[in-house]
Amino acid sequence: MSIRHVLVVDDEPDICELLEITLSRMGLETTIAGSLGPARRLLAEREFDLCLTDMRLPDGDGLELVRHIQAEHPELPVAVITAHGSVDTAVQALKLGAFDFVSKPVDLKQLRELIDAALRLKPASSDRSDEVPGDPPPAAEEPGPLLGQSEAMRRLRGTIHKLARSQAPVFISGESGSGKELVAREIHRLGPRRDRPFVPVNCGAIPAELMESEFFGHRKGAFTGATQDHTGLFQAADGGTLFLDEVADLPLPMQVKLLRAIQERAIKPIGGTRELPVDVRILSATHHDLEAAVAEGRFRQDLYYRLNVIELKVPALRERRSDVPYLAEHVLARIGEQWAIGPLELAPDALHALQAYDFPGNVRELENILERAATLSEGPRIHADNIDLPVRGHAANMTEFGVALNGTDGLPLDRPHPPDPPSVQYQDVALDDHLADQERHAIETALQKTGGNRTAAARLLGLSFRQLRYRLKKLGID
């Protein structure tokens, strides 16, 4: 196994000796530089696999070295050593491109974890025959799950590759349905933590009274009902990534505790007597305006700045209309395979209708629309008439899924149709649930009338057998 080489930039002999001993025990070679000048010369003379630099140096500070490395040696991971409690300085280093930071007094376990992660990120030098154990990170040109060839998506994928090389907290902003969790998973997949857990959590889905236990865990007997130890989300994600979705929904008391856990890199389970160190990268997201929440006092400013070290905006689908045909083709291929109904395709008029639509629900809405279109299509070719775009209005949706199933074939619905609302506002979740209930009721009524004969039920509903089979699977009707 070839020896990896680490450059340590520090003028304190005790720190240098501690780092050199630690690195040597890890099988790493160490070169010491006492200030910025010698460090720059060493970087120009030979290749290193990692740089560890103190923030305070005789001829400058570590931030200058971080800037220099980002400009001249962008493939080299650099981590900074900060004074205890200097969170603002560490955040500034992360914004400039530092891989990670460690605080004084140096925690050796945390330091070793940092070094291992950094060396997994950078392959061994080309003049060495061996590499560090573990799979290398995926190449930048490797296709991933973020589909689309628009300029907005190319920029997004390029930024994700850069952010994957850091351990900085990333705040992912974007509209509902635009793919924020998919972006978070890509940052994790392309980074050095890819072999460790990715733990997503919807902050708005956890009851306030259970939130502390869910995040930090609890000890047996800590409260009524705590019959055994419970591992929290932070410990479940140890060594990996914790994705806080809809972080704006966190109650203020929990925001305080989350801030401390992030800053101290430690958590204390309910009923526990000591803090437990955790090594977790934090990614967060919301479709709300978090700055407005801060201004209104609903979200702590200090937590906002700690989560929003780097902000990544996910483009809305209407901002990349050229990707609609490619996305639609991918979704239809999945539908055809998943429901075993053969290949599906969009007619030109259907594609034109989709590209002209604004998609307030973004990619998630596109998937829902195409699933409905697949049920309405008589054959493998989907036309504009089969696409139930919400822009046509709530009443049109009710006609398609209510009156049409209650029309000339003599199948009554047992409940009245709701009145049309005075204005049209698309709510993807509420509307989908309502339509599914209407559709399920009509199909179940038809099956009851035909004694479970699906062919006869399809005739009553005015559907083809293929359409009915698709809807049965989609709605989970046995």
Side-chain angles (χ1 to χ4, degrees):
M1 178 66 66
S2 62
I3 297 178
R4 310 298 288 274
H5 200 163
V6 180
L7 174 63
V8 174
V9 186
D10 202 309
D11 64 331
E12 296 184 39
D14 291 345
I15 293 291
C16 290
E17 182 179 2
L18 174 65
L19 293 176
E20 193 167 15
I21 292 172
T22 302
L23 293 166
S24 176
R25 289 176 177 173
M26 296 178 69
L28 303 172
E29 182 181 344
T30 305
T31 296
I32 304 292
S35 60
L36 285 176
R40 290 195 184 102
R41 287 194 296 271
L42 286 166
L43 288 166
E45 292 170 0
R46 64 162 302 172
E47 184 174 354
F48 292 92
D49 297 292
L50 171 65
C51 177
L52 295 172
T53 179
D54 192 16
M55 287 300 296
R56 294 188 177 184
L57 299 169
D59 53 350
D61 63 34
L63 296 180
E64 293 181 52
L65 187 58
V66 172
R67 292 190 188 94
H68 174 78
I69 289 175
Q70 288 300 302
E72 303 296 331
H73 312 278
E75 295 301 313
L76 175 64
V78 53
V80 297
I81 303 170
T82 67
H84 179 70
S86 300
V87 176
D88 292 341
T89 305
V91 168
Q92 190 177 358
L94 293 173
K95 284 181 178 289
L96 291 174
F99 171 77
D100 205 348
F101 70 93
V102 62
S103 299
K104 296 179 182 177
V106 177
D107 182 288
L108 294 183
K109 180 178 181 293
Q110 182 182 344
L111 176 65
R112 286 192 290 267
E113 289 171 347
L114 182 155
I115 293 169
D116 284 337
L119 294 181
R120 286 198 303 271
L121 183 67
K122 187 179 187 300
S125 305
S126 57
D127 60 344
R128 298 167 189 156
S129 59
D130 297 317
E131 292 190 355
V132 156
D135 296 330
E141 63 273 11
E142 177 185 318
L146 292 170
L147 304 177
Q149 294 302 319
S150 62
E151 182 59 31
M153 288 305 292
R154 291 178 185 271
R155 286 198 303 270
L156 178 65
R157 285 194 292 263
T159 303
I160 286 172
H161 275 272
K162 293 178 181 177
L163 295 180
R165 295 182 54 81
S166 168
Q167 298 301 291
V170 178
F171 173 64
I172 304 169
S173 62
E175 296 179 4
S176 179
S178 57
K180 297 185 291 296
E181 181 172 341
L182 198 58
V183 168
R185 289 183 180 276
E186 273 297 273
I187 293 174
H188 174 80
R189 184 182 75 91
L190 297 173
R193 296 176 180 263
R194 59 191 173 275
D195 298 325
R196 308 294 176 86
F198 176 89
V199 179
V201 53
N202 188 325
C203 298
I206 305 176
E209 61 273 14
L210 299 179
M211 194 161 282
E212 185 176 358
S213 173
E214 286 300 303
F215 273 94
F216 307 135
H218 63 251
R219 294 287 179 252
K220 179 179 178 181
F223 50 84
T224 302
T227 57
Q228 59 185 7
D229 287 354
H230 170 68
T231 299
L233 294 166
F234 268 85
Q235 286 179 284
D238 194 24
T241 301
L242 181 61
F243 174 53
L244 306 175
D245 197 10
E246 296 305 341
V247 70
D249 293 335
L250 283 172
L252 283 169
M254 188 61 202
Q255 293 178 27
V256 178
K257 295 171 182 177
L258 179 62
L259 176 64
R260 175 173 175 80
I262 293 173
Q263 291 187 163
E264 301 299 323
R265 300 188 179 193
I267 55 101
K268 185 178 181 181
I270 300 176
T273 57
R274 61 187 181 87
E275 288 191 329
L276 306 175
V278 287
D279 172 30
V280 171
R281 184 180 190 183
I282 300 291
L283 305 178
S284 58
T286 184
H287 71 281
H288 295 293
D289 186 340
L290 209 53
E291 285 190 11
V294 171
E296 294 166 6
R298 294 182 289 109
F299 200 86
R300 291 182 61 95
Q301 187 176 52
D302 47 6
L303 178 59
Y304 170 72
Y305 287 129
R306 195 66 185 89
L307 294 174
N308 192 23
V309 173
I310 300 172
E311 181 173 357
L312 179 60
K313 186 179 185 301
V314 182
L317 188 52
R318 63 181 171 276
E319 297 171 1
R320 52 186 189 107
R321 294 181 190 271
S322 61
D323 288 333
V324 170
Y326 185 62
L327 289 169
E329 179 183 353
H330 176 79
V331 172
L332 289 176
R334 175 177 55 79
I335 291 173
E337 180 180 356
Q338 182 177 354
W339 298 108
I341 57 176
L344 300 168
E345 63 174 342
L346 287 176
D349 61 340
L351 182 57
H352 176 74
L354 289 174
Q355 287 189 291
Y357 180 58
D358 276 345
F359 288 103
N362 293 289
V363 179
R364 185 187 300 126
E365 184 184 359
L366 173 63
E367 292 174 340
N368 292 342
I369 288 171
L370 291 176
E371 285 187 0
R372 288 197 291 266
T375 69
L376 297 173
S377 174
E378 292 291 344
R381 193 170 176 83
I382 296 174
H383 293 274
D385 290 343
N386 307 129
I387 297 179
D388 187 27
L389 291 179
V391 73
R392 289 164 51 193
H394 188 80
N397 286 323
M398 293 304 99
T399 298
E400 190 65 64
F401 286 95
V403 176
L405 296 180
N406 185 38
T408 58
D409 49 32
L411 174 64
L413 292 179
D414 294 335
R415 52 187 170 186
H417 295 283
D420 294 343
S423 63
V424 174
Q425 174 123 20
Y426 179 71
Q427 299 287 339
D428 58 339
V429 176
L431 180 58
D432 284 346
D433 289 346
H434 184 74
L435 296 178
D437 287 343
Q438 292 253 26
E439 192 175 0
R440 181 179 292 104
H441 178 74
I443 291 172
E444 289 175 347
T445 302
L447 288 170
Q448 288 172 2
K449 284 182 173 293
T450 61
N453 187 314
R454 291 184 295 172
T455 302
R459 280 198 301 269
L460 278 176
L461 292 165
L463 303 174
S464 67
F465 181 77
R466 170 179 170 273
Q467 288 176 312
L468 179 59
R469 182 180 64 178
Y470 180 92
R471 294 184 189 208
L472 290 171
K473 290 182 179 179
K474 176 186 174 186
L475 295 171
I477 301 173
D478 185 2

